[in-house]
Every structure is written in C-alpha cells, then in structure tokens.
Amino acid sequence: MSMATTMLVIKPLFSPLIHHQSSRTARLHHHTIPTPLRRVPTHLPTSLASAAAAAAPPSAAESLVDDFDPELPIEEALTPPSSWYTDPSFLDLELDRIFYRGWQAVGCTDQVKSPQAFFTGRLGSVEFVVCRDDNGKIHAFHNVCRHHASLLASGSGKKSCFVCPYHGWTYALNGALLRATRIKGIRNFDVKEFGLIPLKVATWGPFVLLNFEKDVSPNQEVESDIAAKEWTGSCVDILGNSCIDPSLTYLCRREYTLECNWKVFCDNYLDGGYHVPYAHKGLASGLKLDSYSTTDDKIFVERSLQDSERVQIEDIVLCEGVQKGLESPAYCSGRYAPTVENAMYHFHGLLYRNLKG
C-alpha cells in the first residue's frame, strides 16, 4: 500500500500556520507580530543570570499554562482554557519550548531518495531545505541566502545547486558558497564563512527528522538510532523498525488551509473517533474493521485519496467552527469523554509539561 501524505495548512488566529502530514510531520508558519519571551541579559555572569531568571516574574503566556491542571483524573479534568488557543503570546512559548526543541518529522525519505533531490518547509520563523548531495548524503539548511536573506528554493524537485533568485549567489548541495556575484571591491570577506547555515538532520525508517537547536557544525553527523530515541522517547523500544511497514512509499502531498489554532486540529484527531459517526457519516458507513486489509491496488489508492479529501474538507468545517467557539466569551473550558478522549487528555498533559520546561 502506498502512503498518501496529506498536508494541512492550519491558520490559527494569533498563531502560526501549521502544515500537518498524516505521517505526523508538521511545520509552522509564523505570520504574526511576535511577543518576545523573557530573556536574561547575556553580559551577566552565569550565577547572576541564573538568579535573575529565577527572580523574574513569569510571562503572560507562562501564567496561562497554570490555568490547566494535568493532575486531575480524566473523569474530573477540565480541558485547557480557550486562552491557550486564542492568546497572542501563547504561540511564542510553544515554539520555544516545543517546536524548537528536540526532533521534528518534516518529510519522508522518498522525497530525497535520489541525489540532487530536495524539498522545502517552514517551522515557525525557520525556513528550511532538505537535500541529498551527489555523494548520497542528506543535508538540511536554513533556506536563506547569506547575502540579503532571500529564500533560495521553494517546493520540491531536483537541483544540482541552489541559486538565489534575488542576486544569483550560488551554493553547493553541501551548503558551500560557490559563487558570490558582483562583489568586486568587498573587504574582509571569507567565502568559507558564508555557506548555508546547517540544521541537524537524521532519518529513521521513512521519516526525515530535523532538530532546530542552534550551533550546528556543517559536517555534524547524527546517528539515526540516537535521533529516533530522542524523538520517540520511551516508545522507541516498542516501535523499533519492525513497526514500520517497508512496503509503504511516499505517494503524494496535498495541502489544506484551516482557519484555526494548530491544537484544534490535534484535538480533532485525538478524540478517539468520537466525531466520526456525526461528522463523517460516509467514512463511518464504509469502515469494515473486521475485514480491514491493505493492498497496492491503483483503484484502491485513488478511492482512498478521494475519501481522504472528503474527510479533510469535513474536518476543516469542524475545526474552524471550534475556533470560532473558542473565541466566544461564552466558553472557557470543557470536559473529556473518559471512554474515548484519553489520547486528547494525554496530549494536553504532555503539552503542559513541555511548556513548563
């Protein structure tokens, strides 16, 4: 069976756009005026900086985190407050403590299966490009020209090098600057210092993983097993490579724009099928779980893509309706359905603990 990768572009109010793939990859588009997080002056000695950080009052977003209690059992718990989905300062905290830390799945290895193949994406304010060089090595870089910050590449495809569309600066697939146009007379310019800024990249099974932490050396190698363990945590021993069907292949990519916060879509996905009988009547009637099987059949794949398209459109309507309700003064928090919404409850708990640092 081919793996059809569905991309969802979710546009939350006061939040980023998130591109969500069925393989659980995601990338955020930040298009709002950022609210800077509290930072300690860099000129202070370490001991004083630590003391200053401890003494500083929590930011507005950090205060909102405490409006949710993850310790209550699901039978008694309230869902996170609507401010988590609407407050303009909350996104910056999420980017800093969730998306810019650790590993994120951003695509499939089939997208860079051959030399010179590449694909691009964005997470928050970070534009990135992933490529495979002529020697077969996978690289990832900030997709930004070192001259005047133009984006270098867009979409996906094949390139022997990256040529800036703005002023023609040219970079090799290993990130090295090959050509800087019209710089006669420039002083104190070292070509070796103006290559593309690298990102940590690793692969695990069919997934391409990126780590957005700073201070990455151009030739830094990352072991796939180490990246997988950091990405999946305690689940790595349960999952392993044996849980990844080798017959799955990348088929296509589709994008959808949702006018809602990214967590609204996650909640929708994690409600244990609660909404399926009411919102996806066609899907519910077509599921025959007792006889469910997979095959590499062209007609089956085409029909699956059509079914997926219909479900995505139905979910867009649901998620955008939820976002509007979250912005209403009539709503603050809701409750969980204990028998089906355990995954959502677990997700909110993980989110809380990551935001608390």
Side-chain angles (χ1 to χ4, degrees):
M1 175 182 175
S2 296
M3 179 172 64
T5 304
T6 301
M7 299 293 294
L8 293 170
V9 185
I10 301 177
K11 180 183 178 184
L13 299 183
F14 309 113
S15 296
L17 295 177
I18 176 170
H19 288 248
H20 173 78
Q21 296 182 352
S22 58
S23 59
R24 309 314 302 152
T25 69
R27 53 192 173 95
L28 296 175
H29 283 230
H30 189 32
H31 68 293
T32 59
I33 299 175
T35 302
L37 296 179
R38 167 175 49 82
R39 289 182 171 86
V40 178
T42 55
H43 62 274
L44 291 177
T46 303
S47 58
L48 293 180
S50 300
S59 67
E62 289 173 318
S63 298
L64 293 175
V65 175
D66 292 325
D67 290 340
F68 174 72
D69 186 354
E71 302 303 324
L72 290 175
I74 189 171
E75 295 82 3
E76 302 174 16
L78 294 174
T79 59
S82 56
S83 59
W84 280 29
Y85 300 79
T86 62
D87 191 276
S89 68
F90 206 75
L91 168 65
D92 295 290
L93 188 64
E94 292 176 320
L95 287 170
D96 180 65
R97 297 190 178 176
I98 298 174
F99 294 104
Y100 292 160
R101 299 188 185 188
W103 294 92
Q104 307 289 343
V106 298
C108 300
T109 53
D110 278 357
Q111 293 174 269
V112 284
K113 191 173 184 178
S114 59
Q116 300 187 354
F118 77 94
F119 68 87
T120 62
R122 182 174 181 174
L123 176 63
S125 61
V126 180
E127 300 278 355
F128 63 84
V129 58
V130 177
C131 63
R132 190 182 292 272
D133 66 21
D134 291 319
N135 296 319
K137 182 178 179 180
I138 292 182
H139 301 270
F141 306 100
H142 288 267
N143 184 23
V144 178
C145 180
R146 298 295 305 281
H147 180 219
H148 286 325
S150 172
L151 296 187
L152 282 175
S154 62
S156 61
K158 279 195 169 186
K159 289 182 181 290
S160 60
C161 59
F162 295 113
V163 181
C164 178
Y166 197 12
H167 295 114
W169 284 36
T170 303
Y171 302 85
L173 297 181
N174 65 3
L177 176 61
L178 298 177
R179 179 170 179 259
T181 61
R182 305 185 71 170
I183 59 170
K184 183 178 180 180
I186 194 172
R187 297 179 180 177
N188 303 319
F189 180 79
D190 186 346
V191 171
K192 294 181 180 179
E193 295 180 356
F194 278 82
L196 297 180
I197 304 299
L199 291 166
K200 289 183 181 178
V201 61
T203 62
W204 183 64
F207 303 110
V208 175
L209 309 176
L210 291 188
N211 187 306
F212 294 85
E213 296 172 0
K214 298 179 180 180
D215 302 324
V216 183
S217 61
N219 298 314
Q220 184 170 350
E221 297 283 349
V222 180
E223 294 291 337
S224 295
D225 291 343
I226 295 176
K229 187 172 183 180
E230 292 178 356
W231 181 44
T232 60
S234 60
C235 295
V236 68
D237 295 330
I238 301 174
L239 294 174
N241 289 326
S242 61
C243 287
I244 301 173
D245 188 342
S247 68
L248 293 177
T249 57
Y250 178 84
L251 180 63
C252 66
R253 163 175 159 165
R254 294 182 178 179
E255 296 190 7
Y256 304 87
T257 299
L258 282 71
E259 297 281 345
C260 70
N261 183 271
W262 69 276
K263 296 185 294 299
V264 171
F265 182 79
C266 291
D267 292 348
N268 175 76
Y269 188 82
L270 296 172
D271 75 353
Y274 196 170
H275 71 283
V276 171
Y278 311 98
H280 306 309
K281 293 182 173 62
L283 175 64
S285 63
L287 288 177
K288 298 179 181 178
L289 297 180
D290 293 338
S291 60
Y292 183 80
S293 63
T294 60
T295 177
D296 191 17
D297 180 79
K298 183 178 180 180
I299 296 177
F300 170 80
V301 170
E302 291 178 351
R303 188 173 64 249
S304 296
L305 288 173
Q306 292 173 357
D307 292 342
S308 176
E309 175 81 8
R310 184 178 66 253
V311 170
Q312 300 299 348
I313 297 303
E314 292 169 346
D315 276 335
I316 288 174
V317 175
L318 292 177
C319 291
E320 291 183 347
V322 169
Q323 182 65 43
K324 291 177 181 177
L326 288 164
E327 294 161 13
S328 167
Y331 183 89
C332 179
S333 295
R335 298 294 299 271
Y336 298 98
T339 59
V340 290
E341 294 186 315
N342 304 76
M344 185 192 301
Y345 170 76
H346 181 64
F347 165 61
H348 292 157
L350 290 176
L351 186 63
Y352 172 90
R353 291 175 182 89
N354 278 272
L355 291 172
K356 291 294 286 185

